[in-house]
Amino acid sequence: MRTQDMLSKHSDPSDQLDKVVALVNSAFACEQCCTSCADACLAEDSDMDLTACIRTNLDCADVCATTGRVLSRQTQPNDAILRAQLQACVAACDACADECEEHADMHEHCRVCMECCRECADACRALLDAMPQGATA
Amino acid sequence: MRTQDMLSKHSDPSDQLDKVVALVNSAFACEQCCTSCADACLAEDSDMDLTACIRTNLDCADVCATTGRVLSRQTQPNDAILRAQLQACVAACDACADECEEHADMHEHCRVCMECCRECADACRALLDAMPQGATA
Amino acid sequence: MRTQDMLSKHSDPSDQLDKVVALVNSAFACEQCCTSCADACLAEDSDMDLTACIRTNLDCADVCATTGRVLSRQTQPNDAILRAQLQACVAACDACADECEEHADMHEHCRVCMECCRECADACRALLDAMPQGATA
Amino acid sequence: MRTQDMLSKHSDPSDQLDKVVALVNSAFACEQCCTSCADACLAEDSDMDLTACIRTNLDCADVCATTGRVLSRQTQPNDAILRAQLQACVAACDACADECEEHADMHEHCRVCMECCRECADACRALLDAMPQGATA
């Protein structure tokens, strides 16, 4: 990812650039992890029921994809959109991490995906805390 | 769109099926409108500055895309994710409708896009109101 | 979908407007069908192995989403991108329709999804045939 | 990105794992670069007309997003879909790199984005060459 390089070359970069870069990187990494985890779960011949894990992975991948895109944009931002999208991302990553944690001992992909989701949720919270009105998530 | 047909054939369809179908249709329609409006604004040789309109359109298209997908899923839903995604969609559609309204007299694509965004925001609110704990957006 | 309305309001609309509108509508409808079909398959307690169907549905949803967005844009189009994207969409829709057809007698959602995929593949081919150099898919 | 970690934990990983990992990382990085470049172009008060660059960036971001997701999946792959998606990605990345190159001297974000697009196109070609029937792009 060249996110730091790209975002710093904008004519009016965010005054929270480091936190935005960390969040964008975490969001795309989490989209990738969740897409892989859903796919790996689908291929498991497991005694455990991975249905809820797959569904939550698919949701979390979609939410993280949108978070990565929306936060990549720095032109004329709308705080209400940014804040609501970060809160949606916290909700998806928290739920997906909790779900993957249930299977982390049995399936290594669930353990790595749990870690990705925790990192992304933390990056969202760090950015929400740094925004003008503070975090409400 | 065959959303009604598809969602009703799930083995355990939502008990808010009509509202979910209306929302899913509105979300994909709004993604399309916002994608078109950003593109049409980009091609305008306008006296008005459409920069904020394009940026908000791009965000709203991404948020609506994720809303359309997440709400299309009915298997083992997570209420916290659904609620937060619907609230993010309300924020994006409200902001985009307000932005398009500024140019609705001058640019027909902004007027139609404003209507799409209002419809999608209303469909989100109707579904949030019908969910167990009620809407908080 | 207000695709016809939106695309016709561009300052320089496509000279294949009807075919583009049909394709964009088919692509977003197919994304929705494939997302729903993957989700409905995931919830089935079926004697049939739906693993390949779910995976193909997920791929086809992603490819159709990109097709719907790329073809919604009319500003300064690049024919090589449009053509390659339409061909990728034909490949995904053909494969997904064939896969769903295997389960169409057993699962109604697979039957409807098969029809969506066939329609979208046909709309892609119609547009490829109407483009300057003709279709090669 | 933890792509290597995630993909290697699948129960039946690709026999081209290194090339797939490289491609998936390049595709998500390119989606991020193109999203940023479109946004940075939108904010430029440039003497150059960046309209075609923005449009191509938006297309390339969407195509790369789908490539990153489709190639992240290893369960029951369909070669026709993979091949066509990689070819669409080559077309989008080649066109976007050429477009960004026009502005690389003037705008640093276009220079970095050009490099991202070239890397992603190369990673697509390397994987196409390693697939059973060889590359045709």
Side-chain angles (χ1 to χ4, degrees), chain C residues 53-65:
Chain C
C53 194
I54 294 172
R55 192 258 152 95
T56 314
N57 272 317
L58 295 176
D59 282 1
C60 195
D62 288 336
V63 174
C64 287

Side-chain angles (χ1 to χ4, degrees), chain A residues 55-56 59-60 63 84 87-93 95, chain B residues 14-16 20 23-24 63 66-90 123-125 127-129 131-137, chain C residues 39:
Chain A
R55 193 260 152 95
T56 315
D59 282 0
C60 194
V63 174
Q87 289 170 339
C89 203
V90 167
C93 289
Chain B
S14 167
D15 50 9
Q16 297 292 340
V20 174
L23 183 277
V24 168
V63 174
T66 289
T67 305
R69 284 175 167 236
V70 169
L71 272 294
S72 288
R73 298 182 186 117
Q74 299 178 99
T75 303
Q76 305 223 16
N78 177 297
D79 274 358
I81 298 178
L82 297 184
R83 181 174 301 278
Q85 183 58 36
L86 289 167
Q87 290 170 340
C89 203
V90 167
C124 289
R125 288 192 177 94
L127 188 52
L128 278 165
D129 283 337
M131 289 178 71
Q133 300 97 327
T136 61
Chain C
D39 176 70

Side-chain angles (χ1 to χ4, degrees), chain A residues 2-3 6-7 9-10 28 31-33 36 39 43 61-62 69 72-75 108 112 115 119, chain D residues 2-3 6-7 9-10 28 31-33 36 39 43 61-62 69 72-75 108 112 115 119:
Chain A
R2 301 199 192 186
T3 312
M6 287 302 298
L7 267 64
K9 296 190 191 320
H10 193 280
F28 282 112
E31 178 191 5
Q32 199 288 316
C33 279
S36 277
D39 176 69
D62 289 336
R69 285 174 166 237
S72 288
R73 299 184 186 116
Q74 298 178 99
T75 303
E108 277 285 292
V112 178
E115 292 172 9
E119 282 175 15
Chain D
R2 302 199 191 186
T3 312
M6 287 302 298
L7 268 64
K9 296 190 190 322
H10 192 280
F28 282 112
E31 177 191 5
Q32 199 288 316
C33 280
S36 277
D39 176 70
D62 288 337
R69 284 176 168 235
S72 288
R73 297 184 187 116
Q74 300 179 97
T75 303
E108 279 283 293
V112 178
E115 292 172 9
E119 283 175 15

Side-chain angles (χ1 to χ4, degrees), chain A residues 74-110:
Chain A
Q74 298 178 99
T75 303
Q76 304 225 18
N78 178 298
D79 274 359
I81 298 178
L82 297 184
R83 182 174 301 278
Q85 183 58 36
L86 288 168
Q87 289 170 339
C89 203
V90 167
C93 289
D94 279 354
C96 196
D98 290 349
E99 186 62 44
C100 282
E101 194 167 21
E102 304 278 322
H103 321 285
D105 287 346
M106 187 80 85
H107 299 301
E108 277 285 292
H109 47 81
C110 289

